[in-house]
Amino acid sequence: MFSSIVFWCEFPEKVDWKNLKIPFPCSVYIAVSSRKEFEKIKKGSSKNIQFGVWPVLSKIEGYWFSGFCGKESIQKLLEYKGLDIKIDIEPPFPFIKFSSFGLLKYGVKMFLFRRAKNNNFLIQTIEELAKSSQIIISGLPLPEFLSRKYGDDIRKDLGGRNFFIYKTFFSGFLGKFLERYYRWFIRSRLKIYKERAMFAIGCTGSGILGNEPVYSDLKSFEEDLKWFSQCGVKNLVVFNLEGILMRRDSEEWMKMLSSFVFYQKGILNHRFIN
């Protein structure tokens, strides 16, 4: 059972915010390129949702934040001071469609042949932002010696810490192997981050690459919900909200999620003290 549910929403234009109703307390983090864009969506939305902001850059700038980004791009994070904010720290946008081989090739290129110059600047900027904002750092489920190379080396006591475990990405033998790795990874990060640890299930809908593999039906989604619960996950993130809402049986998907929620005084709390 999960004690908090958070949704990532990468394509807010696909959501009817005014009429959106979610049958349990939750938070929704919206991908935007400016604070003005975020405030406009929030103003025109249903009042029963707790919102957070998910800043993204242009693809040319890297889309996600990392030490590979220029300093001017990294400084754009400070525009969101005072808001609940989720920061993706990942290598720059690869300009390729999803494929396991393509991503592997891209990863080798990034880790072996490129050097991130602005890691320290990224870390300092996020620490400054955290003085006035609730922070969630989100990133790849990699060993720390690899994630540090592109700037994912944030203090372990700085807000929430999310890792995305998208089991839809890989199937067959590789999927089975990664499932064992993911189980070990989740348990190891729960020991490190404790109540700050968050893990993202996915994908219910495609992301920025445009062709990421998604759940084919509700049953496979339910099986993964059970798997995350069995791994000891308490703070669950769902990627992505619009992927559920665009399904014909979206109400059944929400009911399924609700059945995995453990209510504490009627509130699902994902906020962390920095």
Side-chain angles (χ1 to χ4, degrees):
M1 302 295 284
F2 307 117
S3 56
S4 83
I5 301 285
V6 176
F7 289 98
W8 297 157
C9 177
E10 192 158 17
F11 303 109
E13 68 276 8
K14 296 181 179 181
V15 177
D16 179 1
W17 294 105
K18 185 176 181 179
N19 297 308
L20 176 62
K21 291 182 174 60
I22 298 175
F24 49 83
C26 65
S27 296
V28 179
Y29 282 70
I30 305 170
V32 295
S33 57
S34 72
R35 182 165 185 152
K36 182 179 180 180
E37 182 183 356
F38 173 73
E39 297 290 358
K40 182 178 179 181
I41 293 171
K42 186 177 178 181
K43 184 178 180 180
S45 68
S46 169
K47 304 301 181 184
N48 66 340
I49 298 172
Q50 183 176 340
F51 283 103
V53 64
W54 169 10
V56 294
L57 300 165
S58 68
K59 291 180 182 179
I60 295 295
E61 291 176 287
Y63 191 72
W64 305 289
F65 288 85
S66 74
F68 289 107
C69 295
K71 289 185 176 181
E72 289 186 5
S73 297
I74 292 171
Q75 283 182 314
K76 291 181 180 180
L77 285 171
L78 299 178
E79 177 184 352
Y80 304 94
K81 280 186 175 182
L83 300 175
D84 288 356
I85 180 170
K86 168 235 183 172
I87 304 171
D88 263 329
I89 303 182
E90 301 180 45
F93 185 80
F95 291 97
I96 59 173
K97 293 292 185 180
F98 177 90
S99 76
S100 54
F101 176 76
L103 291 182
L104 178 62
K105 181 179 178 181
Y106 177 73
V108 170
K109 175 184 175 182
M110 292 303 300
F111 292 125
L112 295 184
F113 301 108
R114 291 191 63 185
R115 179 176 176 272
K117 297 181 179 180
N118 291 323
N119 286 349
N120 289 337
F121 187 79
L122 173 67
I123 293 168
Q124 291 166 7
T125 302
I126 291 175
E127 288 179 345
E128 175 64 26
L129 183 62
K131 294 177 182 178
S132 59
S133 295
Q134 283 281 327
I135 300 285
I136 296 175
I137 300 297
S138 182
L140 297 161
L142 294 174
E144 290 184 351
F145 78 92
L146 288 178
S147 59
R148 288 192 191 105
K149 290 191 173 185
Y150 53 87
D152 191 349
D153 192 20
I154 309 301
R155 278 186 5 232
K156 291 180 172 57
D157 62 344
L158 194 65
R161 178 70 233 219
N162 175 71
F163 299 96
F164 47 87
I165 312 292
Y166 297 163
K167 293 179 66 184
T168 61
F169 275 16
F170 304 99
S171 59
F173 173 79
L174 180 56
K176 292 294 183 183
F177 170 79
L178 285 174
E179 182 172 302
R180 300 183 75 171
Y181 169 76
Y182 290 149
R183 191 181 296 273
W184 166 84
F185 184 89
I186 288 172
R187 289 175 176 171
S188 68
R189 293 314 182 263
L190 283 170
K191 289 180 180 178
I192 295 171
Y193 294 97
K194 299 181 174 57
E195 72 279 357
R196 297 175 182 271
M198 309 170 71
F199 300 92
I201 186 173
C203 300
T204 64
S206 292
I208 193 62
L209 294 179
N211 68 327
E212 294 93 331
V214 303
Y215 288 108
S216 59
D217 51 43
L218 182 57
K219 181 175 176 57
S220 56
F221 182 60
E222 179 185 11
E223 289 174 353
D224 274 1
L225 286 171
K226 291 177 180 178
W227 183 86
F228 274 78
S229 182
Q230 290 167 359
C231 288
V233 173
K234 296 301 180 185
N235 301 312
L236 184 75
V237 176
V238 180
F239 179 80
N240 50 29
L241 175 63
E242 61 273 27
I244 291 179
L245 296 177
M246 293 175 69
R247 293 174 183 263
R248 291 183 178 179
D249 57 346
S250 60
E251 289 186 7
E252 296 302 314
W253 284 65
M254 287 298 184
K255 287 180 182 178
M256 179 62 68
L257 269 172
S258 184
S259 70
F260 279 84
V261 168
F262 173 69
Y263 291 92
Q264 294 177 320
K265 298 181 180 179
I267 297 174
L268 294 177
N269 180 27
H270 76 278
R271 295 176 66 86
F272 305 92
I273 299 173
N274 293 336

